Amino acid sequence: MDILLATRNAHKVEEIRQIFAPLDFLTLIPADACPGLPEEVDENADTFEGNALIKARTLCAASGLWTLSDDSGLEVAALNGAPGIYSARYAGPGCTTADNNRKLLRELAEVSDRRAQFRCVIALCAPDGREWTVQGICPGTIARECHVGGGFGYDPLFIPDGYDRTFAELDPAEKNRISHRGRALQNAFAAWRDLFTQ
Ligand code: IMP
């Protein structure tokens, strides 16, 4: 059974492959390997779930294949859930990761409540129009300064609950085990494995 992955991010493709490896009858096809798909999808919903579904629906319609997509971001309690769906462009159009992290530190400069969570929603669309979503959440706090290491995005600022280091300082395998995306993928595997075997 073929499943199109609605992402061009090689790290995400690898993470999805690892989680779904036990279902060895699945062929996971990265968007890059499927010619003729739209390069950009207008993610204009106001929730992670809505945006994940837009991506999966669009590429499912274009390819005729079962399609899996994800959408994720950071929600900060003291900022009423911002940057949320705007995580990638928090500091404005064309901004860099460093701009986003600087803006977040600025917004929280006088704030003692540092609670935040990463959220990831994974959507699955079937060519016959059926749709499913699952999500994963990783709770934590926002550090007072960047702790650079590996990772990307807000990793240098996010300390997951139960740890004294940021995502950027964790071993990548450890981050994947507890991250919002890792948890969402584990939930997807548990929820959908029977669907794939029918
Ligand atoms: P995407 O939906 O996975 O592309 O993520 C959207 C944005 O959320 C990214 O550009 C990052 O700013 C942020 N983000 C999502 N997941 C992570 C993560 O694991 N670490 C750091 N930032 C993340």
Side-chain angles (χ1 to χ4, degrees), residues 12 55 70-74 87-88 100 118 152-155 167 175 180-181:
K12 284 189 187 175
K55 268 183 274 191
D70 80 306
D71 197 46
S72 61
L74 179 69
S87 292
N100 287 337
F118 274 115
F152 72 102
Y154 298 93
D155 280 354
F167 261 177
K175 178 190 164 184
H180 48 307
R181 192 171 304 100

Side-chain angles (χ1 to χ4, degrees), residues 5 11-20 28 68-70 120-123 134-137 176 179-192:
L5 305 181
H11 296 290
K12 284 189 187 175
V13 171
E14 186 48 37
E15 204 180 336
I16 296 168
R17 276 198 197 291
Q18 282 177 18
I19 299 266
F20 282 92
L28 302 176
L68 188 145
S69 73
D70 80 306
C120 174
V121 173
I122 298 184
V134 292
Q135 73 166 357
I137 284 176
N176 289 348
S179 80
H180 48 307
R181 192 171 304 100
R183 287 179 177 160
L185 284 169
Q186 286 155 23
N187 291 341
F189 179 81
W192 299 335

Side-chain angles (χ1 to χ4, degrees), residues 15-51:
E15 204 180 336
I16 296 168
R17 276 198 197 291
Q18 282 177 18
I19 299 266
F20 282 92
L23 306 182
D24 57 4
F25 54 88
L26 293 183
T27 304
L28 302 176
I29 306 170
D32 280 343
C34 191
L37 296 177
E39 284 286 328
E40 288 288 322
V41 177
D42 188 14
E43 297 173 31
N44 56 12
D46 55 8
T47 59
F48 293 116
E49 186 180 33
N51 283 331

Side-chain angles (χ1 to χ4, degrees), residues 154-191:
Y154 298 93
D155 280 354
L157 286 176
F158 185 80
I159 305 171
D161 284 353
Y163 290 76
D164 57 7
R165 283 170 300 158
T166 63
F167 261 177
E169 297 167 295
L170 291 184
D171 177 66
E174 179 69 357
K175 178 190 164 184
N176 289 348
R177 200 176 61 76
I178 62 162
S179 80
H180 48 307
R181 192 171 304 100
R183 287 179 177 160
L185 284 169
Q186 286 155 23
N187 291 341
F189 179 81

